[in-house]
Amino acid sequence: MNKYISVMLKKYKTGLLLLLTGFLLMNGLGAKALAMKKDTTKEDEEVFFEVNANNKNGIFKDDNTVGYKVKLKSTYKENQDGTLTYDVLTDDGKPLSTNQFPIHLKYHARESYGLTIPKKPAGFYRLVVKINTTSNDDTLRRVFGVSPEKIHSTLHRPDDFDAFWKATLDSLKKVPPQYNIIEHKELSTKDKKVYLVEMRSYGNVLIRGWLVIPTFGKSFPVHYRVPGYGVAMHPDMDNDDFIAFDINVRGSGNSQDDMKLNTEIYSTTGIEDRDTYIYRGAIMDCIRGLDFIASHANLGIDTKRIYIEGGSQGGMLGIITTALDTRVRALTVQVPLYSDIRDTYNISASYDEQVFPFKMFRRYKASHPGYTWDEFYKVFDYYDPQNFAPLVKCPVLMGIGLLDLFCPPRCSISMFNHLGTDKKEFIAVANTTHEVNFSYFMLQNNWLREQLRVP
Amino acid sequence: MKNLYPVFLLIILVCSARNARAGFPIGKYRGLVIPSFNYYTSKDTWDSQGNKIKGKPGTGFSSYSAGLYFGYGITRRLDVIVNLTAPLQHSSYRNDKDSLITMQSSGFGDMQVGLSYNLINFNYTSYFSVVASGIVPLYSNTNKDVALGYGIGGADIKFTYTGSIGSTFLKGCYFNTEVGARRYFDKQGPDVLIYTASLGFGLNKRNQMSFEGSGQNSYSINKTFNQNLSVNRDYSFIKGAVNYGHTFTRRFYVFATGFYTIAGRNTGLGYGGSVQTIFKF
């Protein structure tokens, strides 16, 4: 029997190895293969249309051309003749060039076309690709970046910016936090203990956060998450190597005892006065959360390894909290909201339809006769993340989506370029809007372990 | 009379520390230290045709080996690795007069020093890497009854594809495949083809298990076969292994491995095991 096995294995071992390797490779590529298969099995008549940057992240250098590949496949039984047009515009909608060439598509034949766009100066650009054929019209929009590290923006930092925030922090210090830590056994598992943490923040407002402590270990770094716009934070049960603390700032999630605000009005609440603007308190809520973390080493918190993460509004809160408080060891932000607010306004002006956040600001302005953009900026310059960026000294990882209309890539990158640390990286995801992708979060996980020396 | 058992040493060398790390990059600024204890024993052999040859009474070979693996992430893609073994080997064979001869040697074995570079990552869930290393003998066979290796330098290069499986019925499992070649810098070589495939899965948060198939094909101009394996450089074997790992803390793990040579040529028919303690920093 042994001999038989030996002979068989000898005879086929190379084949078996290749088979196994192939199977495992297929696992990695399985999803893509499945997607392609779906395309080819559709019976409806249509033209499949893909536009992808030659550089996967859609970022190019200003000393080189920009390349895209267009893939087409027709399932129309009759030949499709027509044109492919591609327009290049600035990211605020000014046309730069337009090109067109004929296309001819046979039934089920795949065609591929390369688009070469001449060198461009540093910035972000829109690419609009249109196909018009016998029976089909379609348009795809892309955004690409050119040498983003060279993008520069002007800071509009009020003269008393530092004094304003110092006074705000001093006011917070005068508020006794009155921490109340309540164990929630019904939410806990054998691997994680869940606590609701109540505390008093700026203006004596009651806020809450969720603390989750892994049971497997004695001391952990902290993953401190600050909330996105209108997002109610819940216990984060996915962190095995970190204590997770998720805070709900005033007026959101379970921190609405003293004020209830919906997403329609949150960003404009108190907008006409820098002292009463909602974000003054919200930012202090994040600092208060940091106070809680830093003062509770007895819970197993490694107070020397606190990192903050936030997406969208959470990105803005993360940047500002890190700028105002040096206890933060690392920061990760995705699609940081309100960055370079003036350029965000300029770019949003080119949209066919208004979107968050300027949708709210414009509506507020329209409903408050006499209110001007100058007055808006006079307050918002105290809250624009890019004005805080030079104060951020710890390592930063930022993710952006190139198709993001809420946080235009140029604005996020402008803020990024002002960060006061050399240990900063950004990841551009070519075809996402106001979000990043799975790959970004996998990298973020590795990045954090690298920065915080987590094994 | 001196005996060489390089094949056994190769089995041990390849076994130690690999299960713990597979082909995943260690990560920048992070490292691994893996002390291990390895055992191998063989009484029977495979001849040049792959036939099982029953060992004569009292004959056999056994090896106890201490290993130390060190790995450190220089960048996100590049790791430096050092692997050191210190074997204690027993050999018993019968001479022409059918007298039982027993010998023993110990000391440092071969040291492997190399670099692992991640060529491609697939969404940071699977990694295709290349590992290149040099083999430096830390011993001289001239004063050893049972030689601790070929006693010559070598180099190897291998490609690894490692990752976790996120879809299909194997969701939650992880895998490691390796194919490589090793050359010893001697007229008679040998040149060795090395391959491995393993599949692992978590039993629960703290325990995991994996199954592995691996083998080597060694080629040399010296194809003679002798019952005394000392002179054999042209051989092959396939080995099956079962690994069990337990996580004690986030920085300390223990892996236990049992293996068996299920097929071979010009080599021993044996089994063994290892215990690896993994310290992450």
Side-chain angles (χ1 to χ4, degrees), chain B residues 12-231:
Chain B
I12 289 163
L13 192 69
V14 168
C15 235
S16 64
R18 196 186 55 222
N19 299 318
R21 178 178 172 256
F24 289 101
I26 295 171
K28 193 177 177 182
Y29 303 140
R30 282 169 286 156
L32 292 170
V33 177
I34 309 177
S36 64
F37 173 77
N38 311 279
Y39 172 70
Y40 176 82
T41 188
S42 160
K43 291 191 185 306
D44 302 333
T45 57
W46 307 98
D47 70 9
S48 62
Q49 300 302 311
N51 298 307
K52 180 182 168 184
I53 306 298
K54 191 78 179 163
K56 290 181 179 175
T59 63
F61 173 86
S62 60
S63 170
Y64 303 86
S65 170
L68 183 64
Y69 177 98
F70 172 81
Y72 184 75
I74 300 169
T75 70
R76 284 176 198 163
R77 288 171 177 256
L78 184 67
D79 302 329
V80 60
I81 51 176
V82 178
N83 198 12
L84 187 65
T85 57
L88 164 65
Q89 301 184 159
H90 296 276
S91 172
S92 300
Y93 67 97
R94 291 192 179 272
N95 63 14
D96 296 342
K97 296 173 183 170
D98 207 30
S99 301
L100 188 66
I101 310 294
T102 300
M103 293 179 295
Q104 175 178 306
S105 290
S106 63
F108 284 111
D110 284 329
M111 179 174 70
Q112 251 185 309
V113 181
L115 295 169
S116 173
Y117 186 77
N118 174 229
L119 296 167
I120 309 168
N121 81 70
F122 300 91
N123 281 337
Y124 302 95
T125 55
S126 55
Y127 298 85
F128 181 65
S129 305
V130 61
V131 185
S133 55
I135 298 165
V136 182
L138 301 180
Y139 53 90
S140 167
N141 284 329
T142 54
N143 58 352
K144 301 286 184 191
D145 291 330
V146 183
L148 299 177
Y150 291 122
I152 48 178
D156 68 19
I157 184 165
K158 66 181 178 185
F159 293 93
T160 69
Y161 180 56
T162 302
S164 50
I165 301 175
S167 57
T168 79
F169 68 99
L170 292 173
K171 187 175 181 180
C173 295
Y174 57 91
F175 64 89
N176 180 43
T177 52
E178 301 180 4
V179 177
R182 174 176 296 153
R183 162 161 286 189
Y184 285 91
F185 303 131
D186 184 80
K187 275 191 299 187
Q188 296 189 344
D191 295 332
V192 189
L193 173 68
I194 301 165
Y195 51 90
T196 299
S198 65
L199 188 66
F201 54 91
L203 298 168
N204 51 44
K205 282 218 167 202
R206 292 199 183 195
N207 297 289
Q208 57 181 288
M209 199 162 193
S210 70
F211 296 94
E212 178 179 295
S214 64
Q216 296 181 9
N217 282 18
S218 180
Y219 304 96
S220 170
I221 54 171
N222 182 351
K223 297 185 184 302
T224 54
F225 174 69
N226 195 300
Q227 287 296 330
N228 177 357
L229 299 177
S230 64
V231 293

Side-chain angles (χ1 to χ4, degrees), chain A residues 106-251:
Chain A
K106 292 179 182 172
Y107 176 56
H108 269 199
R110 292 172 188 271
E111 296 291 342
S112 177
Y113 305 93
L115 309 183
T116 302
I117 298 161
K119 291 179 202 173
K120 291 273 174 275
F124 284 86
Y125 299 86
R126 297 181 198 173
L127 172 69
V128 182
V129 184
K130 291 175 270 193
I131 53 167
N132 304 95
T133 65
T134 316
S135 312
N136 187 283
D137 294 334
D138 204 352
T139 301
L140 281 178
R141 297 171 198 282
R142 295 289 180 259
V143 169
F144 62 87
V146 177
S147 295
E149 69 283 357
K150 294 182 181 174
I151 292 173
H152 179 73
S153 64
T154 303
L155 297 183
H156 294 86
R157 231 164 165 248
D159 292 340
D160 63 346
F161 182 88
D162 292 329
F164 172 75
W165 284 107
K166 185 179 180 307
T168 308
L169 287 165
D170 288 343
S171 297
L172 176 68
K173 283 176 188 161
K174 289 173 186 162
V175 179
Q178 301 175 51
Y179 301 124
N180 187 19
I181 304 169
I182 306 155
E183 185 175 357
H184 275 247
K185 288 187 176 173
E186 80 283 5
L187 299 175
S188 302
T189 66
K190 71 180 173 64
D191 298 317
K192 309 270 168 61
K193 282 191 171 180
V194 178
Y195 301 88
L196 177 67
V197 181
E198 296 181 340
M199 62 197 98
R200 292 282 168 180
S201 181
Y202 182 80
N204 206 37
V205 169
L206 178 66
I207 60 167
R208 296 185 177 88
W210 291 102
L211 181 72
V212 178
I213 303 177
T215 55
F216 185 33
K218 289 180 180 171
S219 179
F220 297 87
V222 183
H223 178 184
Y224 179 26
R225 285 201 309 186
V226 289
Y229 193 81
V231 174
M233 303 299 268
H234 298 288
D236 176 3
M237 305 298 281
D238 297 329
N239 259 316
D240 287 338
D241 295 325
F242 294 84
I243 285 177
F245 186 56
D246 290 65
I247 199 159
N248 281 306
V249 296
R250 59 191 58 205

Side-chain angles (χ1 to χ4, degrees), chain A residues 130-393:
Chain A
K130 291 175 270 193
I131 53 167
N132 304 95
T133 65
T134 316
S135 312
N136 187 283
D137 294 334
D138 204 352
T139 301
L140 281 178
R141 297 171 198 282
R142 295 289 180 259
V143 169
F144 62 87
V146 177
S147 295
E149 69 283 357
K150 294 182 181 174
I151 292 173
H152 179 73
S153 64
T154 303
L155 297 183
H156 294 86
R157 231 164 165 248
D159 292 340
D160 63 346
F161 182 88
D162 292 329
F164 172 75
W165 284 107
K166 185 179 180 307
T168 308
L169 287 165
D170 288 343
S171 297
L172 176 68
K173 283 176 188 161
K174 289 173 186 162
V175 179
Q178 301 175 51
Y179 301 124
N180 187 19
I181 304 169
I182 306 155
E183 185 175 357
H184 275 247
K185 288 187 176 173
E186 80 283 5
L187 299 175
S188 302
T189 66
K190 71 180 173 64
D191 298 317
K192 309 270 168 61
K193 282 191 171 180
V194 178
Y195 301 88
L196 177 67
V197 181
E198 296 181 340
M199 62 197 98
R200 292 282 168 180
S201 181
Y202 182 80
N204 206 37
V205 169
L206 178 66
I207 60 167
R208 296 185 177 88
W210 291 102
L211 181 72
V212 178
I213 303 177
T215 55
F216 185 33
K218 289 180 180 171
S219 179
F220 297 87
V222 183
H223 178 184
Y224 179 26
R225 285 201 309 186
V226 289
Y229 193 81
V231 174
M233 303 299 268
H234 298 288
D236 176 3
M237 305 298 281
D238 297 329
N239 259 316
D240 287 338
D241 295 325
F242 294 84
I243 285 177
F245 186 56
D246 290 65
I247 199 159
N248 281 306
V249 296
R250 59 191 58 205
S252 66
N254 58 358
S255 296
Q256 299 192 52
D257 296 49
D258 295 323
M259 58 179 73
K260 294 186 192 300
L261 298 171
N262 63 47
T263 54
E264 293 296 311
I265 59 168
Y266 196 92
S267 63
T268 53
T269 300
I271 187 70
E272 295 193 30
D273 185 341
R274 66 170 194 177
D275 293 334
T276 59
Y277 190 31
I278 184 66
Y279 283 118
R280 189 182 197 196
I283 291 162
M284 289 303 103
D285 295 344
C286 297
I287 300 282
R288 177 69 0 134
L290 206 50
D291 292 338
F292 166 75
I293 294 167
S295 60
H296 283 80
N298 61 311
L299 295 175
I301 292 172
D302 180 347
T303 57
K304 301 291 182 198
R305 292 193 296 168
I306 300 169
Y307 105 82
I308 294 187
E309 181 189 10
S312 190
Q313 174 192 271
M316 169 251 203
L317 293 171
I319 292 158
I320 297 177
T321 304
T322 307
L324 295 177
D325 199 314
T326 56
R327 290 174 292 187
V328 180
R329 172 93 175 266
L331 170 68
T332 67
V333 294
Q334 304 103 37
V335 292
L337 195 65
Y338 305 135
S339 296
D340 193 357
I341 197 72
R342 290 161 195 260
D343 259 352
T344 302
Y345 167 79
N346 292 334
I347 293 169
S348 73
S350 68
Y351 298 161
D352 296 336
E353 189 178 333
Q354 281 305 301
V355 297
F356 177 77
F358 266 92
K359 180 180 179 181
M360 280 70 171
F361 295 141
R362 287 174 200 277
R363 190 169 55 202
Y364 183 87
K365 182 175 177 294
S367 62
H368 289 75
Y371 183 63
T372 66
W373 288 121
D374 282 344
E375 289 174 284
F376 171 80
Y377 292 129
K378 193 175 173 185
V379 169
F380 215 94
D381 283 344
Y382 288 92
Y383 297 92
D384 186 334
Q386 78 165 359
N387 290 337
F388 293 85
L391 301 172
V392 174
K393 305 294 184 190

Side-chain angles (χ1 to χ4, degrees), chain A residues 9 11-28, chain B residues 161 165 169-170 175-179 195-199:
Chain A
L9 285 171
K11 196 170 179 182
Y12 296 114
K13 71 186 166 195
T14 307
L16 286 169
L17 188 68
L18 288 171
L19 191 67
L20 181 60
T21 307
F23 167 74
L24 294 169
L25 279 165
M26 280 296 291
N27 174 66
Chain B
Y161 180 56
I165 301 175
F169 68 99
L170 292 173
F175 64 89
N176 180 43
T177 52
E178 301 180 4
V179 177
Y195 51 90
T196 299
S198 65
L199 188 66

